[in-house]
Amino acid sequence: LKLQFLYLIDLLSNTLPHSTMVRSTTDSGVGGSAVYETDKAVHEYLQFHYGGELCMPYAFGPKDAMHFAKRCGEICNKYADKTGTAYDIGCAVGATSFELSKKFDKVVGVDFSHAFIAAANQMKAEKQMDYRSKTTAHLDSAQTAVVPEGTNGDRITFHQGDACNLGEIGAVDCMVAANLLCRLPNPRAFLQKAIECITPGGIFVLISPYSWLEEYTPKEQWVGGTEECQSSADEVAKILSPHFELVHQQDEPFLIREHVRKYQYGVSDCTVWKKK
């Protein structure tokens, strides 16, 4: 019986990671947060953040969904009056952080994925990183992600961390969280941290498609999206409005390529809040 048990543990340890590794990050809910530790995820997100026109080669495609990470940083830079410290929570492979470095004296990129942070640090150190762009089935092509001109990597620090337990991070003048909230196990804890650490006059840029899934967030922790409270945007506003003024709201499309004929297209709700 003991040998059978040990065999079962060995079998699980050898099969579960492999089942996660072959999944795309566009397969919602499959594998939970572990999917973001794979090479496949790193390659997809390097293309998502830095791939530019490669992400959508078709003239009829949704070009306005390109350059999502860069656009997130541009929104912060546009609405921020204070230029001290910016935090990019859920920074992935770093493109938004690089955009923030054009304006802010200090930028900190934080992500739960060790693999994403390793890639972001390589982009900072070498200003580029090779990746594979999937074309179809097992076929792919060699590509290189390049840090955009005009950014300042010396201002940026990338480190692994938990958005629901950021610890003592000091005063923050700008915090951005793009497509993060609905992938957190305790989103309200993160919102409370933003309330506590953002300085008066500082901004909180929250961008989310509100695609709640129990693989990431227990249903009792969802911020909206339930029969009792349907609108996530309204529920977020209830939490933030006592502490912030809503200064801007818009829809932000995004596009993640899985292969040359399959994409994930989404539209995130983007709100800019100024601390009272």
Side-chain angles (χ1 to χ4, degrees), residues 131-143:
Y131 68 94
R132 308 297 299 185
S133 176
K134 188 173 179 181
T135 53
T136 186
H138 294 299
L139 304 178
D140 57 23
S141 63
Q143 304 293 337

Side-chain angles (χ1 to χ4, degrees), residues 11-151:
L11 179 64
L12 289 172
S13 66
N14 281 291
T15 57
L16 288 180
H18 292 294
S19 64
T20 300
M21 286 177 65
V22 299
R23 296 290 184 178
S24 168
T25 57
T26 62
D27 292 335
S28 295
V30 177
S33 60
V35 72
Y36 298 110
E37 295 292 355
T38 65
D39 288 344
K40 185 179 186 67
V42 170
H43 293 183
E44 284 185 351
Y45 266 69
L46 284 168
Q47 183 162 260
F48 179 35
H49 276 221
Y50 305 100
E53 300 305 315
L54 178 68
C55 294
M56 172 49 66
Y58 303 106
F60 54 79
K63 299 292 186 178
D64 57 349
M66 310 289 287
H67 309 290
F68 175 75
K70 183 177 188 292
R71 285 186 279 117
C72 292
E74 290 174 339
I75 292 167
C76 297
N77 293 347
K78 177 179 178 179
Y79 287 95
D81 295 323
K82 307 174 77 172
T83 60
T85 300
Y87 266 76
D88 178 11
I89 309 298
C91 67
V93 294
T96 299
S97 296
F98 283 110
E99 192 65 28
L100 293 173
S101 74
K102 294 179 179 180
K103 181 163 186 172
F104 292 90
D105 300 328
K106 176 184 176 182
V107 179
V108 182
V110 181
D111 202 281
F112 193 69
S113 167
H114 293 81
F116 280 175
I117 290 299
N121 275 315
Q122 183 171 335
M123 290 295 292
K124 175 185 171 181
E126 301 180 14
K127 301 189 184 332
Q128 64 179 39
M129 183 173 175
D130 295 335
Y131 68 94
R132 308 297 299 185
S133 176
K134 188 173 179 181
T135 53
T136 186
H138 294 299
L139 304 178
D140 57 23
S141 63
Q143 304 293 337
T144 302
V146 178
V147 172
E149 294 183 3
T151 61

Side-chain angles (χ1 to χ4, degrees), residues 82 85-87 169-175 197-200 202-203:
K82 307 174 77 172
T85 300
Y87 266 76
I169 62 175
V172 177
D173 298 312
C174 171
M175 180 176 285
C197 69
I198 295 175
T199 59
I203 61 169

Side-chain angles (χ1 to χ4, degrees), residues 161-206:
D162 183 354
C164 300
N165 186 22
L166 289 170
E168 295 300 322
I169 62 175
V172 177
D173 298 312
C174 171
M175 180 176 285
V176 57
N179 289 5
L180 172 75
L181 193 70
C182 55
R183 291 297 175 265
L184 298 178
N186 189 350
R188 285 180 175 81
F190 169 67
L191 294 175
Q192 183 59 40
K193 186 64 178 179
I195 292 168
E196 293 172 0
C197 69
I198 295 175
T199 59
I203 61 169
F204 180 36
V205 179
L206 182 63

